[in-house]
Each structure stands twice: as structure tokens, then as C-alpha cells.
Amino acid sequence: MGLLTPLTSRFRHPAQVVVAAFGLTVAVGTALLALPIATTEGVSAGWLAALFTATSAVCVTGLAIVDTESHWSVFGELVIAGLVQAGGLGIMTMATVFTLLVSGRLGLRARIAVQAETKTLSMSDVRHVLRKVVVFSLVCEAVAATVLTARFVTGYDEPFGRALYLGVFHAISAFNDAGFALWPDSLMRFVSDGWICLTVAIASIVSGLGFPVVFELARSWRRPGKWTILTKITVWVTAVLLLLGTLAFLTIEWRNPKTLGPLDEGGKVLAAFFAAVMPRSAGFNTLDVSQMLPSSWLTTDLLMFIGGGSAGTAGGIKVTTVGLLAFVVWAELRGESRVNIGHRSLPNSAQRQAVTITALGVAIVGIATYALLALTPYSLDQVLFEVVAAFGTAGLSTGITASLGTAGHLLLVVLMFIGRIGPLTLGSALALNRRARHYELPEERVIVG
């Protein structure tokens, strides 16, 4: 919180603090990656490559216009890892604070006092919660790094120092849903390695659920009836998307000789599950995305657009938003005046927020797709995939990222930035900017549809 003190004193709304903090971090990262020491050749990477990579790292996206391992030196890779860590922790801590601001409590042992008039928090309680977020993140990364390091040593005969470096780098990248890998083919060489694939996938899933959900599950996983609406929707929608995504990739790519075709049945299930997890925002791939069938691209588009849970490192419009919209539609189809989830009623404000975030997300993706189609010679399938990957901070690509040109790269930079902070800041702004109206206007029925 010490870093945020000057920002909070200058900007009065939390959304302004987020934009300023992430913008400043991107600027610092760009400056560091533009140094000659950051590249293997000892010459400056140029402002565009530095800006694009720094934005991708801070926004934990994983899209790249240069190969991470061959282009960047150890210094450059450490800068990228640091930016990913800063971006991931920043997202989780800021999202947690906004969750507290909106709800007034976290459902954990720490209690946050919300002053309705000034929208301020008890700083001692905030520090306690944020400390738990940081410790939780670092412990998860340490566990993932240990497993990956051990596997690189025992399974691939890597020297311990190199294995440790690879393990730590990819643990940070996986837990923060960044998708940066130190191999030109991402994780394709490990397509049948359950130790590596499942470790990366589990780290991504846990961080993508979000801090409030993870700790509520840890406390009351045996009593799902007492879960909050946030936890219920996040868990069940995530499970459904992972299951449907896995089945979709298995069905579509089963006989594709360039993806799942050459693998045995166990390998196909593992690869399909990994392909279903990664669009949540993780960005790694064990299958050649460019060789997938168009229907698999569309499936990935949908998963990337939805993303993961609120208050986590995943991008997209969030599974919570999609879950709320599903209940809204169901209630409308049944002719019910109120939207009920379990034994709770959903406020009208939450319904409007879900509709607003989804509508703006669709609009942003649509406009950006149209613009990128005009700027590049690529097909609609490829361009849409690239746009959704940037907006959903997923980092997956059909292989056209590096050849989009300066205008295309700058468009993706803007999309990554909007996609990272947009849903978070917009959601908090809508929730916190409530105005009391002391009158009601007469209703007028409008034909819809």
C-alpha cells in the first residue's frame, strides 16, 4: 500500500488509481526492456517491442512480437518475470480491495470497515488482507516452482540451476496467468507430460478463481450450501466451462493429424483439458493453435472472452458476469419479477453491471476486430482470435502477432491494457458510483425483440 499512497492522494476514485498504477508500471517496464542489456544481442530492442512486451507482461497476457527466450537476455527475462509478478499481485490485491469496497466484508477472518460516506477502508484490516493475498500467491508459486524444477531435473536432465530458473519463471508465469514461456513453441514439447501440464493448469485455475473464492472454499468447502453467490457462481461456471471446453476440443480435434491425432487416448484427454484451461487467461499452449480447426478457434474465442473469476489474475468479462446473466435470462424466461440464486435475491444493480460489462466487451471486441481487419490482410477467424486473446489477456495466437505491423501492435497494446483493467475498474466504478434518487418517473412499456 505504500506505493499506492501518492497515487491515492492524487486520484480520488479507485479506478483512477488502477489506471495510473498500471500505466506507470508499463512505462517503467518499457524503459527497462529498451536498454541494450535487456537483449541477447546487446542492442536496444526498440520502443515498440519494449512497449508491447512490457504491456503484455504487466497485463499478464503473454502475447509477444519477439521470441522471449532468444530475443531477451537473462536481464530481460528477469524484467519480464518481475513485471508479471507486479501485474499479477497488483491485480489480485486491487481486485480484493474493490471486492471489500463493494461488499463491505470479505467473509474471511479479516473484517474491513467501509464508510458509506467516504468510501474509505480501515488501513490495518486492509494490510492484513493484502498480506494474506501476497503470502498465498508466493506460496502457490513456490509449490509450482518446486514441482516444475524437480520435473526438469529428473525428467529432462536439466542442471539444477537451469531447472530452478525454468521452474521459478514458469511458476510465476502460470500462477499469474501470463503465458510467457522460455521455449519458442510454448509448452508443446511437454504435451504428454502430466507433471508439467497439470502443474501449470492447476496454478492457473487456482489463481483464476480469485482470492475471496479460494479462501472461502478453504474455510467451508464441505458446506456448499453456505457459500456466497460469488463462490457458487465462480466454482460452478468454471467447472462447466472446463468440462464443456475439454469435450469440445476432444470432439473437434480428435482426428486432426496436426493436433490431437498422433497422441494416445490419455494424451488426448490431457491436451484437450490443458487447451480448455489456457483460454481462461493463462496463454500457454501444448497444441499448435495455428493448426487447429476453425471451430476450435471459435471455442477458444468464447472461453477467452469469458475468462476466469473476479478478484483473480484471469482476464475476460469474468465467469461471474456470465453466471449472473444466465440467471437473469432464466428468470425472465420464467416470468419472475426477481432474480433468485439459491436462497438469495440478486440486486438490480448487479444485473445492470453484468449487462453493461458484457455489452461493452462485445463492442470493444467488435470495433477492434473491424479495425484490425482493415489494417491487416488476415482472415476474420485469425483477426478475431487475436483481438479476443488481447482483450481477454489470454496470450494465445494463431501465429500472426509478430506480422500485424506497427498500427496492429499498438491496437493490441491498447486492447491488452483495456482488457486487463477495464472489467476491474468498470465493475468497481459502477458498484461504487451509486446515487440515491428521491423520485420515480412514470413507466412506459417498450416493445423489445
Side-chain angles (χ1 to χ4, degrees):
M1 294 299 292
L3 178 61
L4 295 179
T5 301
L7 293 176
T8 54
S9 63
R10 184 175 182 84
F11 302 107
R12 303 184 65 178
H13 195 283
Q16 296 175 318
V17 178
V18 174
V19 175
F22 274 79
L24 178 61
T25 308
V26 169
V28 172
T30 301
L32 291 175
L33 290 176
L35 296 174
I37 193 178
T39 66
T40 55
E41 297 181 355
V43 296
S44 175
W47 69 269
L48 182 59
L51 173 64
F52 192 98
T53 305
T55 305
S56 184
V58 173
C59 297
V60 292
T61 304
L63 286 175
I65 59 177
V66 294
D67 180 60
T68 303
E69 195 261 344
S70 63
H71 185 83
W72 302 109
S73 64
V74 173
F75 174 82
E77 292 171 359
L78 291 177
V79 169
I80 292 173
L83 294 175
V84 168
Q85 185 73 82
L89 283 177
I91 292 161
M92 291 196 75
T93 53
M94 290 179 182
T96 300
V97 170
F98 287 161
T99 300
L100 303 177
L101 283 169
V102 173
S103 65
R105 63 182 181 86
L106 188 55
L108 308 174
R109 295 180 179 178
R111 295 182 179 180
I112 303 298
V114 179
Q115 300 176 5
E117 297 286 336
T118 61
K119 301 293 191 301
T120 58
L121 296 173
S122 169
M123 294 308 297
S124 61
D125 287 339
V126 170
R127 289 193 183 96
H128 175 68
V129 174
L130 298 188
R131 190 181 302 115
K132 294 182 71 173
V133 173
V134 173
V135 171
F136 168 72
S137 301
L138 296 180
V139 168
C140 289
E141 290 175 0
V143 172
T146 300
V147 176
L148 292 176
T149 299
R151 184 56 180 165
F152 290 138
V153 170
T154 60
Y156 299 93
D157 297 325
E158 292 281 1
F160 178 77
R162 174 64 176 171
L164 179 62
Y165 180 76
L166 292 173
V168 172
F169 184 94
H170 292 92
I172 293 174
S173 186
F175 182 78
N176 292 286
D177 284 322
F180 281 96
L182 295 181
W183 297 280
D185 61 353
S186 188
L187 301 182
M188 287 176 58
R189 64 189 64 193
F190 307 114
V191 62
S192 297
D193 192 323
W195 285 101
I196 292 178
C197 292
L198 291 179
T199 299
V200 171
I202 292 172
S204 173
I205 292 173
V206 171
S207 63
L209 289 175
F211 175 78
V213 172
V214 169
F215 273 75
E216 184 171 351
L217 290 175
R219 188 181 66 255
S220 57
W221 65 274
R222 295 182 178 179
R223 296 171 292 174
K226 295 186 177 181
W227 292 353
T228 61
I229 291 179
L230 172 65
T231 298
K232 289 179 179 178
I233 291 180
T234 301
V235 170
W236 290 114
V237 175
T238 296
V240 169
L241 290 178
L242 290 179
L243 176 61
L244 293 180
T246 302
L247 292 176
F249 287 119
L250 279 174
T251 303
I252 298 169
E253 301 290 335
W254 185 272
R255 297 184 184 279
N256 186 343
K258 297 181 179 180
T259 54
L260 293 182
L263 304 176
D264 58 27
E265 293 184 357
K268 289 180 179 179
V269 173
L270 176 63
F273 174 73
F274 193 85
V277 173
M278 292 303 106
R280 290 171 50 84
S281 186
F284 294 104
N285 63 283
T286 57
L287 299 175
D288 190 346
V289 177
S290 66
Q291 300 300 321
M292 286 182 171
L293 300 176
S295 48
S296 291
W297 285 355
L298 182 58
T299 301
T300 307
D301 288 339
L302 294 173
L303 293 174
M304 290 190 297
F305 184 75
I306 295 172
S310 301
T313 56
I317 63 171
K318 309 299 184 184
V319 295
T320 314
T321 304
V322 174
L324 293 181
L325 287 179
F327 278 102
V328 170
V329 172
W330 180 243
E332 188 65 26
L333 291 176
R334 298 182 64 180
E336 297 178 351
S337 59
R338 298 288 296 178
V339 179
N340 300 319
I341 302 177
H343 299 291
R344 294 289 186 271
S345 178
L346 187 66
N348 291 331
S349 59
Q351 301 174 40
R352 293 195 299 270
Q353 291 160 25
V355 172
T356 301
I357 290 174
T358 304
L360 288 177
V362 171
I364 291 171
V365 168
I367 293 172
T369 300
Y370 187 88
L372 201 58
L373 276 173
L375 292 171
T376 65
Y378 297 106
S379 67
L380 175 60
D381 286 343
Q382 292 173 301
V383 168
L384 178 62
F385 193 101
E386 206 76 12
V387 167
V388 177
F391 174 77
T393 67
L396 296 171
S397 174
T398 59
I400 66 172
T401 308
S403 56
L404 292 178
T406 301
H409 292 154
L410 291 177
L411 177 60
L412 292 187
V413 166
V414 173
L415 278 173
M416 288 188 288
F417 196 81
I418 293 176
R420 179 68 278 165
I421 66 173
L424 174 62
T425 56
L426 178 61
S428 65
L430 291 174
L432 296 174
N433 192 29
R434 296 175 182 173
R435 297 180 180 178
R437 177 175 291 181
H438 302 290
Y439 63 91
E440 291 290 340
L441 297 174
E443 292 185 353
E444 179 177 344
R445 300 290 294 179
V446 178
I447 298 176
V448 179

